[in-house]
Structure formats: C-alpha cells, structure tokens
Amino acid sequence: MEIRSPSGHIYVIGNELGHTEKFRFYQCTAESSPACILKIARQAIWNGLLDREAFILQLLAEGALELESEYEKVKENDKKLNYHFFFPKIIETFIAKEQENSRISIMSFAHLADNLSELTPLSHLISRENVYVDPRTSAWIMGKLLTLINFIQGEKILINDLSGDNIFINRREHYVTIFDWTGAALNIGGVSKYLIADRIAQIAKGTIRLLGGNPTTKKLPESPQLIGNNYEAYLAELSAGKISSAKEAHQRFYDLVLSAWPREFYQFTTIKKED
Amino acid sequence: MGTKPGSHEVFEKAHREITTGGKSATHVGEQRHKEGKGLHDLIDPKGNGVIRVAKSWLEPKDDGTFYLLRGTAMLEETRLDTTGSMGNNVDIAMRVLPKTFKLLAEGPKAILGRYDTQMITAIFGDVTDNYILCRSQAETDERIAEQMSYMVPERDGGDSTEDPQYGLFGAAYLTFSTAKQLGLKTYDFTVTDADARDFVTLKNLIRVFGPEVMEKVESNGHNFNRGLPSTKEIVSDLLKTTHAFVLSVNGSKANYWQDIFGPERVIEISDLNLLPEMKAVIIGLTEGVLELGTVEDYLTKEAGLSQASAARIKRAVAGIPIGAQTRLENFDKIPLRGDIFAQKDDLWPSKKAGDIEEESDSIWK
C-alpha cells in the first residue's frame, strides 16, 4: 500500500506496529529513509497533537544542531553531543483527505537503526524478554535519559511520557530515544523545578525497576558490580524527587559512574529474571 | 446588541472619534470618575443585571418562526491589566480593535466566521484601587469601542500583586452564553505582567458585583456550599466553560500563572500591539481553523506581519491545546447562520438552513 503526500512524496506503508486510543503506527518506507514510521490520527480531533509533535521535533532538531555547532567551537576532543539521537526525525506531516482528514506524520528512525526491529521499548525487556539489566548497563541508559532531560529543559520542553513503553533503546549502539512526543509540552519561561524533579524521579524509578529492584523501597538486587551502596543511594535520592536540576543530577551521576566503573564501551548485558 | 454587526471600518471610525485631539481612549470614563459619577452602568460589573449575556440572535420571521441571523454567539472576553506600566492597555486594545474584529469576524477567512463573534472587554486593578474591575457587556458592534471608552484605568495597583481574580470570578460564574448551553466553550484571555492574590473575599465580591452577587451566582447555576473558591478553583471552573489563556507580558510571572491555568495556557506576549494576531491564532488553532503548519502563512498574508514576527507568535502559541474545541461533542452540530427555530428561546433549530431552499432568499438578503 502506498500513500502520496500533498507535496508529492510517496510512502510505502507496511505492517501496523501498534496503536493507542488516538493514533495508529505503521512501518513505512520513504524514498530517503527506509526505517520510518507512519503515524496517523485515528480521528481528526487528534490532529492537533501530531501537528504540535511535528513542531516540537523540528524545534529539537534545530536545537540539537545549534548546540552541536556551539560545542564544535569549544571542544578539545573529537566527541559529539549527539542530541539528535534522542528523538525521531520528522520527514513530513500532512492532512490526508482520503483518510477522513486525519493527520499523518512520517518520522524517520534511520539515524538510530538500520531496521526498526533494532529498537526495543524498555518495557519489553522485563515483560517480554523476562530479563533485567545489570548496573553498568543501567548506567548508560539512566545517564542518557538525564542528558535528554537536561537538553530538552534548555529547549523549554517538558516530556510527559517517560514510561518504559515510550523509551526505546538500540542495545548494540547504546542509543536511547523517545518514540512518541505527542504528550510533550512547550513551557514558556522554562519548565518548573518541580516538574524537572518529577521527571528525574520517574526515570530513576524506571531504572530501579529495570535493574530488578523495588521502586518503593528503592532497594537494588545484589550485584558484584555494586561496591558499596553509592549507586543505590543516588538512584534512591533521584527517585525521591529530591533533585530539581537536570544539569546537577546529570553531573553527579556521571561523577559517580566514572568513579565506580572504567570508562570504556560496555556491552549491553541482561540478567535472567528469577520466577 | 443590534442586528447590524461591527466591522473594522466601524471600529476605526469609533477609535478616531473617541481619541480626537490626542485624547486617551478612556477619557470619557475617567472624566466621569473625576466628576464623582462612578462607573458607567454598562461597564460596572454590578450594573445592567450583573450577569453578562452572550446569546445568539434569533430574528423573527413573518410565519412566526425565527432564524439565526449571524450564527451561534461565540463570546471572546479579554481582561486587561491596567496597573502601573500596563496603564495604557485600553488605548492599545481600542487601537487594535479593528484588526482584532477583522481577523476574528470579518470576511471569508475570519477565524470565527461560522459564529456571531461577541466581545467583552474588562480591565482590572488592585483591591486598593477605587475600581477593582470594569467589565463591559457582550457586544458585536460599535458598542465594543464605546464601552471601552467608559473604562477607568487607574494606572496604580498598590503592590506588585494585582487582583484579576475578581474578573476571573465574573467570567466563571456571572456569564451566560448560548455556546456554553450548546456544549461548546467560549474564549477568555487575561493580559498581565503581574501575579494575583490567591483568594477572593465576600466584601470585595460585594464591592465589585453588588450586594446580590451570591444570588446572581446561584441564579446562573453555581453555588459555593463549601465556601468561596480560591483563585485556582475559580480558574478550574472557568476552564469548564471557556478556553482560557493568560497572555503573560514578556513572560513576567509566567510560572505563577502556569500553576493556576496549566502550562499549556500561559503564553508569552512581547508586544501588546500583536494582541489581535495572538488571539486570532490561539482561537484558530483551538477551533481547528488553523494548524501550526499554516500559522506563519496566515499571519503574513492575512495579518500582514513580517516572517520573523509570525515565527515568534507560532513559537509562543505552539504549546496550547490545539483543536480543543473540535473535540467537544457538539462542535459539528451547532446551529448555523440561517437555521430556523420554532420558538425564540429554543436552543436547537427546527430546520437547518440547507433544508429550506425555497426560503433561503429571504434569509440571506
């Protein structure tokens, strides 16, 4: 099945990947990008959410590019910020008259994966693969999520869905990305400290869960990688909503991680769940 | 409210006449105040029956039925801060009124084209001022400008916190609209650079709306069995019947208002001369008439803005609940211009305009 946008681009639509109350998602191939998603509003009344999502993704893309350019001028190594990995690239958004005037957005994940199957929602690790991750694996996921919050805070954007269903990873490349931005909000004057602390707490609780720990007691399972309880204590502090600066949370997190484990690529590692 | 609607020419003429000789837009009202006459009854919140009414206009026909003259009444209320540096906001609002009306109500590209646009203008000050609130009637013609001229902005305001919550109270509990009866929401804007006190007092409610304020509130379908509402509770009730927004001047006190209205309803405005464009785009996005992808095109072509100004407005409004009106159940069902009603007080038509071809000549001429 194909669909032609008003601008004349043709998209080949594949299998339905999922749906929510408001949208359906299909695998899709664009001329310029093979790993795409076609997202369509199930009713025209939800068009506005896709309209804003497209705008936010464009803002994020511009913001990421600008920051990369600024960083390029001052950096003393070959590192990159790579903030563009945190979100899909919007290819096009349009109203499809033949689809009862529902809005369609075409988004590319090609910068994150050669194939969409390489991207996994965090929730699937526990619910479908029956695994947890080890502490060192959790560290790069948590660290990147803190980087993400710090980045979008600077863009005055608040992300509302930080559930495991909306956080995707490419386990081979260590990419972390947010799949759906329709729930994101633009806040003038910046995002309040309270909301930042809340979002940091959400991802810390998610990380504790991903480790097989208990988000209520904030206890982590024992691991030879955990020497002392610094990691557990810091995740507990973050999950209690005690830190309202993404920059501070991010800095302290990396200081802790770098003091605990060597700075080297660490392969994605899971631990089988015990029944 | 007459049968002849306003137009941008009407409002340009009214503005010229009111401000002739470099006079302030509000010199009439300010002169009344100096003479000790108090507020004009039409803009005194306690005047003219207290409750502001935005009803659809049903014109009688020879056969005893009625037809909807201009579409369902859609109320737009704007509440202007007139304290301190905000003191000339009525002057600005009257100057840009022709453009506001044109963008919202005139011609085929009018944002509220399917409705009968009715406007209330209100101004607020501080409880230490002589007048905490002035609030016009819901009007659709030159009376919008006329009633603006009766306002008394005191340009003072006491401390830095002001008292728009009395105006919000009026909008929430002392307003009647056909749109609300039909299940739609009307539009409400508060323009300010200050925050508000978090409460209203009975003493000040009586001072603003008169000794029968509570009876009026009750007669309009509300009660406060659990005591007077806080500012946040007033706004919560206001949001049940209106798409309400705060236009925060230069983003001042935005965090305060985000807590009260929700972050998606607080919008930064840097230049009050852009009030018409801001309101048009917010309403257009809410009504589904505009989408973010078309906002810049609309603002440059229909409002004559520069690309840079259009882009700034788009960025400012992008966070609002886009399409919120379209999600209301009766959005596509409301009576339209020309629909026939059996009785003057009927809410829903007995015949749609499209069903009565033989009568259409008389309706449209």
Side-chain angles (χ1 to χ4, degrees):
Chain A
M1 190 167 59
E2 286 183 352
I3 188 162
R4 181 188 287 268
S5 73
S7 63
H9 293 100
I10 293 171
Y11 301 100
V12 179
I13 304 170
N15 294 332
E16 182 179 338
L17 298 173
H19 62 266
T20 65
E21 185 194 342
K22 297 168 187 168
F23 311 109
R24 285 187 189 279
F25 311 94
Y26 294 88
Q27 197 172 16
C28 159
T29 308
E31 296 154 14
S32 58
S33 179
C36 284
I37 296 260
L38 179 148
K39 192 189 279 193
I40 181 168
R42 295 180 73 168
Q43 290 177 272
I45 56 172
W46 305 119
N47 284 355
L49 297 176
L50 290 183
D51 194 15
R52 179 169 38 247
E53 181 186 51
F55 181 73
I56 285 176
L57 291 175
Q58 191 58 40
L59 271 185
L60 289 172
E62 288 165 7
L65 198 64
E66 197 178 317
L67 288 170
E68 198 74 75
S69 168
E70 291 298 311
Y71 185 61
E72 188 75 27
K73 291 176 194 163
V74 298
K75 70 180 184 180
E76 293 169 348
N77 50 44
D78 60 351
K79 284 173 102 179
K80 282 181 176 289
L81 296 173
N82 284 331
Y83 291 154
H84 64 292
F85 288 133
F86 290 131
F87 50 89
K89 181 182 173 191
I90 184 83
I91 304 276
E92 194 174 9
T93 183
F94 55 91
I95 303 285
K97 287 186 179 164
E98 68 278 18
Q99 299 295 326
E100 296 178 320
N101 289 317
S102 282
R103 180 173 285 277
I104 286 176
S105 288
I106 310 288
M107 295 169 197
S108 170
F109 291 79
H111 56 306
L112 292 156
D114 297 332
N115 190 305
L116 290 173
S117 63
E118 292 173 8
L119 298 174
T120 310
L122 282 183
S123 59
H124 283 198
L125 294 176
I126 299 173
S127 66
R128 296 196 183 178
E129 298 181 26
N130 287 313
V131 294
Y132 297 122
V133 300
D134 70 359
R136 289 187 70 181
T137 297
S138 80
W140 68 255
I141 296 172
M142 178 73 192
K144 291 201 173 186
L145 288 171
L146 286 172
T147 307
L148 161 72
I149 290 183
N150 191 31
F151 163 55
I152 64 170
Q153 183 184 4
E155 301 296 319
K156 298 181 180 176
I157 291 169
L158 178 71
I159 188 156
N160 287 315
D161 184 359
L162 280 166
S163 69
D165 289 336
N166 200 30
I167 300 170
F168 282 55
I169 57 167
N170 178 327
R171 54 186 99 188
R172 180 169 52 86
E173 299 290 346
H174 283 197
Y175 296 149
V176 175
T177 199
I178 302 297
F179 178 76
D180 178 56
W181 291 80
T182 54
L186 286 154
N187 289 22
I188 72 158
V191 181
S192 75
K193 285 182 173 183
Y194 164 77
L195 290 170
I196 293 292
D198 178 74
R199 298 308 182 269
I200 292 171
Q202 275 187 42
I203 58 170
K205 284 176 191 164
T207 302
I208 292 171
R209 221 173 277 122
L210 201 57
L211 281 157
N214 183 330
T216 308
T217 63
K218 301 176 176 58
K219 287 284 173 200
L220 299 183
E222 287 185 8
S223 164
Q225 290 177 2
L226 295 174
I227 300 162
N229 71 343
N230 288 351
Y231 193 66
E232 182 180 75
Y234 191 52
L235 284 179
E237 187 180 347
L238 293 174
S239 69
K242 289 181 179 171
I243 299 183
S244 59
S245 159
K247 192 174 176 182
E248 182 199 333
H250 174 265
Q251 186 60 52
R252 283 181 56 195
F253 185 79
Y254 273 97
D255 288 347
L256 175 68
V257 167
L258 292 173
S259 69
W261 299 304
R263 189 181 193 127
E264 61 188 12
F265 185 84
Y266 180 76
Q267 195 169 343
F268 182 83
T269 307
T270 58
I271 299 163
K272 188 78 182 159
K273 267 169 75 176
E274 289 173 15
D275 293 328
Chain B
M1 189 166 51
T3 55
K4 189 180 168 195
S7 68
H8 73 279
E9 288 97 344
V10 163
F11 294 119
E12 278 169 356
K13 183 166 174 275
H15 179 243
R16 271 197 309 275
E17 287 173 359
I18 290 167
T19 59
T20 297
K23 288 177 185 162
S24 152
T26 51
H27 73 274
V28 175
E30 293 180 75
Q31 187 58 36
R32 274 184 65 97
H33 169 64
K34 281 178 195 160
E35 292 168 6
K37 293 178 181 171
L39 295 178
H40 192 290
D41 197 51
L42 288 172
I43 55 105
D44 187 341
K46 66 171 84 67
N48 213 27
V50 181
I51 295 170
R52 299 304 188 241
V53 179
K55 281 181 84 168
S56 298
W57 184 273
L58 295 181
E59 190 73 0
K61 283 165 58 82
D62 293 342
D63 63 3
T65 61
F66 298 83
Y67 72 95
L68 186 59
L69 184 68
R70 291 191 293 263
T72 293
M74 178 50 69
L75 177 62
E76 183 274 306
E77 176 162 5
T78 300
R79 191 171 304 102
L80 300 159
D81 186 341
T82 50
T83 63
S85 63
M86 300 275 99
N88 67 342
N89 277 351
V90 182
D91 294 83
I92 296 173
M94 191 187 287
R95 190 171 66 239
V96 300
L97 179 58
K99 195 168 196 182
T100 305
F101 196 84
K102 187 173 185 180
L103 293 177
L104 292 182
E106 257 182 72
K109 298 273 179 73
I111 293 291
L112 290 173
R114 72 171 183 152
Y115 301 104
D116 173 21
T117 304
Q118 300 188 11
M119 295 182 183
I120 290 178
T121 310
I123 66 171
F124 64 88
D126 187 286
V127 289
T128 60
D129 291 335
N130 289 297
Y131 310 113
I132 304 172
L133 180 72
C134 301
R135 189 181 187 213
S136 78
Q137 309 300 307
E139 302 289 5
T140 189
D141 53 26
E142 66 269 26
R143 278 170 281 193
I144 300 170
E146 179 195 333
Q147 290 172 30
M148 277 183 178
S149 76
Y150 298 151
M151 304 271 169
V152 185
E154 295 185 67
R155 302 178 172 88
D156 190 357
D159 55 12
S160 63
T161 296
E162 311 300 356
D163 292 286
Q165 69 274 25
Y166 293 93
L168 293 165
F169 183 98
Y173 308 119
L174 295 166
T175 309
F176 176 91
S177 74
T178 304
K180 177 187 165 188
Q181 283 188 302
L182 291 167
L184 294 194
K185 293 185 179 183
T186 60
Y187 290 90
D188 187 279
F189 297 94
T190 302
V191 182
T192 185
D193 67 351
D195 52 8
R197 268 170 270 273
D198 294 328
F199 57 89
V200 290
T201 66
L202 184 58
K203 184 180 164 192
N204 280 329
L205 285 173
I206 290 170
R207 195 178 141 206
V208 174
F209 297 105
E212 294 176 351
V213 58
M214 287 307 156
E215 286 83 352
K216 292 289 182 183
V217 165
E218 202 162 318
S219 75
N220 203 33
H222 306 277
N223 67 65
F224 304 127
N225 293 337
R226 289 187 292 172
L228 288 176
S230 65
T231 300
K232 199 166 186 173
E233 288 166 336
I234 292 168
V235 169
S236 173
D237 284 337
L238 179 66
L239 289 172
K240 291 173 187 165
T241 57
T242 71
H243 302 288
F245 301 90
V246 173
L247 300 181
S248 167
V249 181
N250 294 320
S252 176
K253 303 293 180 186
N255 285 341
Y256 170 82
W257 288 112
Q258 285 180 352
D259 183 48
I260 302 284
F261 275 75
E264 72 280 13
R265 297 182 177 281
V266 182
I267 296 147
E268 181 172 350
I269 183 167
S270 53
D271 179 359
L272 288 182
N273 289 298
L274 296 175
L275 207 49
E277 290 85 353
M278 273 285 193
K279 291 200 285 194
V281 170
I282 291 167
I283 295 172
L285 288 169
T286 308
E287 290 283 329
V289 176
L290 295 176
E291 50 195 73
L292 283 172
T294 60
V295 160
E296 286 177 76
D297 198 43
Y298 168 79
L299 287 172
T300 51
K301 287 184 180 159
E302 300 302 319
L305 289 192
S306 68
Q307 192 66 45
S309 293
R312 273 198 299 275
I313 289 180
K314 178 183 172 182
R315 174 69 180 85
V317 303
I320 70 166
I322 297 170
Q325 187 84 297
T326 68
R327 293 195 280 276
L328 298 177
E329 194 184 340
N330 289 338
F331 178 73
D332 289 328
K333 300 174 190 160
I334 61 161
L336 299 174
R337 194 172 295 130
D339 285 355
I340 301 294
F341 291 72
Q343 304 290 329
K344 178 90 174 163
D345 293 328
D346 283 356
L347 191 57
W348 295 97
S350 53
K351 278 189 207 167
K352 300 294 283 181
D355 300 337
I356 41 177
E357 286 173 12
E358 73 283 4
E359 296 177 350
S360 60
D361 284 349
S362 62
I363 292 166
W364 292 102
K365 68 183 178 184

